[in-house]
Amino acid sequence: MTDPVAPGDGLVAVMTGFARTLRAAGVAADHDRTQSLLAALAHLDVTDRAAVYWAGRLTLCATPDDLPRYDRCFAAYFAGRRATLARTAVTSVTRHLAAREDPGGEEEGGGEATAAPASASRAEILRHRDVARLTEAERAEVHRLLALLRDRRARRRSRRFERARRGALDRRRTIREALRKGEVAGLRHRAHATRPRAVVLFVDVSGSMAPYAETLLRFAHALVRSEPRATRVYSVGTRLTPLTAELRHRDPGTALNEASKAIPDWSGGTRLGEELREYLTRFSARGAIVVIASDGWERGDPGLLAAQMARLSRQAYRVIWVNPHKGYEDYQPLTGGMRAALPYIDDLVAGHSLAAFEQLSERLAHA
């Protein structure tokens, strides 16, 4: 695999040229996104092709439609670059600022542009911030990055078999080939196939979860888009509402609009015990990873919630509770719902920031 930047090439010149190539292909790689890429590369090894690829993908792409264009442009633009650029060449990357004019009309510093050290990527800064405290523009950026999140789901063994180089003897295929060739040319083997482990996600849309509900649904959209056959999503509040079909739309905005129309109990209360009982009566979570995103403010009977959580834990492969307040050091699970559910939870994790959702995705990959 070749290195993306050659010696003698200026990092800024190479990457701005790449951004121009992306713009010509229809990717919204504007000046701000290019500066974010340069800032990110200041903290990475630019001789690592994978690092450069992912830095560009996370900072230069605006929508899922940009991803195939980005892949084609990256492969074409960096084809044939073999040598490396020393790491020290990127530690002094600067962002050039327009010269400022003083009241008398003369530019400061003799009209020369000033430079400020490139800060960390805006995406990196936003990763650890609570989404409830972001501006609309910052929240939109976090949602854009969530749309790029790809779920690397843990896999489980299927009952079906597939061809394999080693494993159990596949008698039927061995005999079939022997009959066709007139002799036993070799033994054929088979092994159990694998498939993504199912995830059942319950998203609390009650009033207390209003600052986080949209971001949670966008995370759910990313899960559905990655594994549509192995993901089921429900909203919970005062009613259990299935949302999987609505979240299968490719465009996140369209998917969220359809999901919003389907949810009849936005910003109401939470009766999670009743809704889990309804789910377990109608469906099954056997062998699935169950993710419950809620702050635990239960308006129903905590005893009912505890009983249904006990049923759920016996069926599910793993139960993960996502609480936005868990991201703070002084958090304690003191609400009635959390105390009722806690004995039956395998993992209690945070759900307040982009970094928390990335960690949750990693947990699903290794559950």
Side-chain angles (χ1 to χ4, degrees), residues 59-328:
T59 56
L60 299 178
C61 294
T63 68
D65 291 337
D66 289 341
L67 300 183
R69 300 188 188 114
Y70 176 87
D71 289 342
R72 290 194 297 268
C73 290
F74 187 92
Y77 187 85
F78 292 112
R81 295 180 177 271
R82 294 182 176 81
T84 62
L85 179 70
R87 191 191 224 311
T88 55
V90 302
T91 57
S92 60
V93 174
T94 58
R95 178 182 291 115
H96 296 284
L97 305 176
R100 296 174 295 176
E101 296 183 356
D102 61 20
E106 296 181 358
E107 295 177 349
E108 294 182 1
E112 295 182 357
T114 60
S119 60
S121 165
R122 178 174 56 180
E124 181 62 27
I125 294 173
L126 291 177
R127 284 182 68 247
H128 298 281
R129 293 187 58 187
D130 191 324
V131 296
R133 301 180 181 181
L134 299 180
T135 65
E136 289 299 322
E138 291 171 336
R139 189 175 293 110
E141 179 70 6
V142 169
H143 291 169
R144 184 186 70 82
L145 295 173
L146 273 177
L148 299 176
L149 186 65
R150 288 296 173 263
D151 174 28
R152 297 184 295 106
R153 189 74 55 83
R155 303 187 70 85
R156 68 177 181 85
R157 193 175 77 165
S158 169
R159 292 182 180 180
R160 295 180 178 272
F161 287 90
E162 61 183 8
R163 295 182 180 184
R165 292 185 177 181
R166 61 185 65 183
L169 177 64
D170 189 340
R171 296 181 179 86
R172 181 174 298 177
R173 191 158 62 96
T174 300
I175 294 171
R176 188 186 303 120
E177 291 188 5
L179 291 174
R180 186 175 66 252
K181 296 179 179 180
E183 62 179 351
V184 179
L187 299 179
R188 299 294 179 257
H189 301 274
R190 66 177 187 171
H192 282 281
T194 62
R195 63 176 59 182
R197 187 169 290 280
V199 167
V200 181
L201 174 59
F202 298 97
V203 178
D204 187 344
V205 295
S206 64
S208 61
M209 286 290 291
Y212 303 97
E214 181 182 357
T215 304
L216 284 164
L217 288 173
R218 287 183 179 269
F219 175 72
H221 174 258
L223 296 186
V224 173
R225 288 288 299 147
S226 296
E227 294 291 350
R229 295 185 178 181
T231 308
R232 287 168 285 169
V233 181
Y234 299 85
S235 69
V236 291
T238 57
R239 294 179 58 181
L240 179 72
T241 306
L243 299 176
T244 309
E246 288 77 7
L247 294 175
R248 282 179 178 156
H249 287 278
R250 180 175 183 178
D251 177 66
T254 303
L256 265 291
N257 287 336
E258 293 299 317
S260 298
K261 295 176 184 177
I263 297 173
D265 52 346
W266 277 106
S267 299
T270 306
R271 298 186 179 277
L272 187 56
E274 297 175 11
E275 290 158 342
L276 288 179
R277 179 174 60 186
E278 178 184 352
Y279 174 83
L280 292 171
T281 300
R282 298 172 54 191
F283 310 107
S284 173
R286 192 168 305 282
I289 303 171
V290 176
V291 180
I292 301 173
S294 174
D295 56 5
W297 285 98
E298 174 70 9
R299 288 194 175 184
D301 179 10
L304 176 61
L305 176 59
Q308 301 311 309
M309 287 296 298
R311 289 179 61 191
L312 185 65
S313 67
R314 289 193 294 267
Q315 286 190 17
Y317 175 77
R318 197 166 192 86
V319 178
I320 302 175
W321 192 294
V322 180
N323 190 319
H325 306 304
K326 179 66 169 62
Y328 296 94

Side-chain angles (χ1 to χ4, degrees), residues 16-30 69 72-73 77:
T16 53
F18 178 48
R20 285 194 296 270
T21 301
L22 289 173
R23 287 196 293 272
V27 179
D30 58 16
R69 300 188 188 114
R72 290 194 297 268
C73 290
Y77 187 85

